[in-house]
Amino acid sequence: MNRDDSMARLRDRAEPWDIAIIGGGATGLGAAVDAASRGYDVCLLERADFAQGTSSRSTKLVHGGVRYLQQGNIGLVMEALRERGRLLRNAPHIVSDLAFVVPSYEWWELPWYGIGLKVYDTLAGRYGFGRSGHLSRREVVEAIPSISTDGLRGGTRYYDGQFDDARLAICLALTATQHGATLANYTPVIEFIKSGGVVTGLVAQDAETDEILRVPARAVINATGPFSDEVRRLDHADTKRIIRPSQGTHIVLDGSFLPGDHAIMVPHTTDGRVLFAIPWMGVCVLGTTDVPLDEVTAEPTPTHAEIDFILDTANRYLAQPATRADILSVFAGIRPLVQDAGGDSTSSISRDHSILIDQDSGLITIAGGKWTTYRRMAEEVIDQAASLADLEPRRCVTHDLAIARDVSLDGQGRLIEAFPVTAEGVRSACSHTMARTVGDILARRSRCLLLDAAGSSGLAEPVADIMASELAKGAEWVANQIRSFAHTVKQHRPD
């Protein structure tokens, strides 16, 4: 997966692509894998780095959605549970099972949550990760030594999946490339090509060279998540808004706050969501919130209220209270919820996805959904695109398609011992996964920024120097990268 090669293919191709995809997050990358593995000629353009937005800022769970079961959305839960099982089978190097404990402090909680999670098991069927069951007070403490025991009666254990979201995104990009797709990051779409009002391609700009690229295509898919309306306005300036964005914030604590291999699930919070405390890559991830937004930004900023809400809620369950001083990193993502006519609370909006085809231009937009169901979303949108473009019908093959392995940044000779990044790993990420900035390396090819924002700042200069050599950049580029990453670190601190 080499960016220079991709740009050359985009530049030199005169014949229309079968399908052009805008957006390099979970949905767009999944669609590229699906289309390429069917044998269609497909290209994908991403304006920043792959998964730089929402798709690298999730709760790190591959799950059916216990909360959706509470809402009565049985269809979404069943679909997500099936896709969860397929993802574990197709990407065992990224996805693993994880045990969750729902602690009970009231007499009615044990039977209530126990019944609900038995239903969850039943819906999972052969795709289940393990059977749920009651735990005594002692068993809960054994599973989660750091849990608050004041009033603890017992708990319920169930199983779901865990993953590294940014890593899966890169692996999907590699998989799509292996099957013949052409992918390019840092290539924003700035205009549509039209004939008789119908979209017949797009105009993009190489953000590194300012080169303008004309990309003809038989079908164009808008898979830009929270920015779906922005792209739709390139098609029709007065288009009606369909995205109702919601921000979810997570905080990261030292792993000592949640030792062991069990997670905590808090089934009901004051904002209508569940809250998770998850052991992940040696740290403890707490989240998430659900706050409606009026404006979508590339770098959403967690609010003080969100951080306080997470800490206050988590501290009801942790024997060792956490404070702002304990936070290693904080990150926020924007959920691209599809507009709902009723209610003010985004927590009540379905996480189902929607596919819209503009009746005049034929632009296809896919929005909503979640990481767990990305494969199913891709299958549906490529079916629609192939039909709209009158392409030869070809069967989806991703149900059992193995997902590629990525390059490792770790090994002998770490740049800083506390972080899994080596010079050879940085070079490989540049040459094989299109890493173009220090942020690409430290936020997504590795997760150093999320694991310890302040600590990761010490890697900026050595990583920038290595990348400059690999990408033929000069001293000014290095200085800009160090300055830019310092700003990113500041955004991931709770101050």
Side-chain angles (χ1 to χ4, degrees):
M1 194 169 79
N2 181 276
R3 189 174 186 275
D4 290 341
D5 293 343
S6 291
M7 300 307 292
R9 286 193 293 273
L10 289 168
R11 184 184 305 113
D12 297 341
R13 185 179 176 109
E15 182 181 353
W17 298 85
D18 290 335
I19 300 170
I21 300 168
I22 309 171
T27 305
L29 291 169
V33 170
D34 187 290
S37 61
R38 296 192 201 197
Y40 294 134
D41 288 331
V42 58
C43 65
L44 178 150
L45 304 179
E46 161 58 43
R47 72 176 182 179
D49 186 30
F50 303 118
Q52 185 163 332
T54 302
S55 295
S56 63
R57 304 166 193 241
S58 75
T59 314
K60 321 307 178 194
L61 297 180
V62 179
H63 62 134
V66 173
R67 183 167 60 87
Y68 313 137
L69 187 62
Q70 294 175 342
Q71 294 174 349
N73 195 337
I74 303 299
L76 177 59
V77 173
M78 291 185 67
E79 178 179 80
L81 288 170
R82 286 195 297 268
E83 293 302 321
R84 182 192 70 171
R86 288 173 177 142
L87 192 47
L88 175 64
R89 180 182 61 211
N90 297 337
H93 52 297
I94 304 173
V95 180
S96 60
D97 63 319
L98 179 64
F100 290 77
V101 172
V102 184
S104 298
Y105 292 87
E106 301 290 343
W107 67 267
W108 56 268
E109 290 179 321
L110 272 172
W112 177 257
Y113 298 136
I115 292 170
L117 290 168
K118 287 297 182 185
V119 173
Y120 197 62
D121 290 345
T122 301
L123 293 176
R126 65 188 179 93
Y127 294 105
F129 280 26
R131 305 300 295 179
S132 64
H134 290 304
L135 298 178
S136 67
R137 184 179 189 276
R138 177 182 59 80
E139 289 172 325
V140 171
V141 175
E142 287 177 351
I144 305 178
S146 59
I147 197 162
S148 173
T149 57
D150 186 16
L152 180 67
R153 293 173 177 266
T156 306
R157 177 163 48 203
Y158 75 99
Y159 295 86
D160 247 323
Q162 184 177 54
F163 78 138
D164 181 343
D165 47 11
R167 184 183 175 199
L168 178 56
I170 295 302
C171 289
L172 289 176
L174 290 165
T175 306
T177 302
Q178 289 177 358
H179 287 272
T182 296
L183 279 60
N185 55 359
Y186 295 100
T187 310
V189 171
I190 58 176
E191 186 181 345
F192 285 118
I193 302 170
K194 291 188 175 182
S195 177
V198 176
V199 170
T200 58
L202 46 85
V203 180
Q205 185 173 24
D206 184 343
E208 295 186 354
T209 65
D210 292 333
E211 178 185 7
I212 301 298
L213 301 166
R214 294 181 65 84
V215 183
R218 296 180 174 87
V220 176
I221 297 173
N222 171 18
T224 55
F227 301 98
S228 295
D229 287 335
E230 181 180 322
V231 172
R232 292 173 65 243
R233 283 192 289 271
L234 292 177
D235 182 23
H236 298 295
D238 58 350
T239 192
K240 183 180 178 181
R241 173 181 172 183
I242 64 168
I243 298 298
R244 188 174 180 188
S246 166
Q247 177 166 290
T249 290
H250 302 79
I251 65 176
V252 178
L253 305 175
D254 185 80
S256 62
F257 284 90
L258 190 64
D261 57 1
H262 281 63
I264 300 173
M265 194 272 273
V266 177
H268 187 75
T269 65
T270 56
D271 74 345
R273 290 189 61 79
V274 300
L275 185 133
F276 295 99
I278 302 166
W280 183 72
M281 298 182 71
V283 297
C284 170
V285 177
L286 301 176
T288 177
T289 55
D290 199 319
V291 179
L293 294 178
D294 294 325
E295 183 181 0
V296 173
T297 59
E299 287 294 337
T301 303
T303 66
H304 291 294
E306 287 178 284
I307 295 171
D308 290 341
F309 170 82
I310 293 173
L311 286 174
D312 290 344
T313 304
N315 283 341
R316 298 173 192 170
Y317 298 85
L318 298 176
Q320 176 187 350
T323 68
R324 282 177 169 267
D326 296 310
I327 297 176
L328 297 175
S329 186
V330 58
F331 62 96
I334 300 176
R335 303 179 186 91
L337 306 180
V338 179
Q339 186 80 14
D340 184 26
D344 295 325
S345 172
T346 53
S347 66
S348 66
I349 299 179
S350 172
R351 268 52 176 176
D352 282 326
H353 62 276
S354 296
I355 298 174
L356 301 92
I357 302 176
D358 189 276
Q359 294 183 349
D360 298 321
S361 69
L363 174 67
I364 304 167
T365 296
I366 179 166
K370 58 181 196 165
W371 246 121
T372 307
T373 58
Y374 87 90
R375 192 214 61 81
R376 178 60 182 164
M377 294 167 61
E379 179 180 356
E380 291 183 12
V381 77
I382 296 303
D383 283 345
Q384 293 280 357
S387 176
L388 183 67
D390 198 24
L391 302 177
E392 176 187 344
R394 293 173 181 169
R395 183 177 61 87
C396 172
V397 299
T398 59
H399 298 80
D400 303 301
L401 185 70
I403 294 172
R405 293 181 177 270
D406 55 338
V407 299
S408 173
L409 271 68
D410 202 0
Q412 296 293 321
R414 290 183 175 186
L415 298 177
I416 295 179
E417 188 56 37
F419 294 98
V421 179
T422 66
E424 182 56 35
V426 173
R427 286 190 284 267
S428 294
C430 292
S431 58
H432 298 304
T433 71
M434 296 191 190
R436 311 297 291 182
T437 73
V438 168
D440 296 349
I441 295 289
L442 298 181
R444 288 168 293 280
R445 304 306 184 278
S446 73
R447 308 316 302 272
C448 299
L449 177 67
L450 268 59
L451 299 176
D452 183 351
S456 69
S457 61
L459 284 163
E461 184 173 352
V463 167
D465 287 339
I466 296 164
M467 294 186 76
S469 176
E470 187 69 21
L471 301 176
K473 303 293 185 180
E476 183 178 355
W477 182 90
V478 170
N480 287 337
Q481 286 296 304
I482 295 172
R483 187 162 48 247
S484 176
F485 190 70
H487 179 68
T488 300
V489 166
K490 186 176 181 180
Q491 292 175 314
H492 284 74
R493 295 294 300 153
D495 305 326

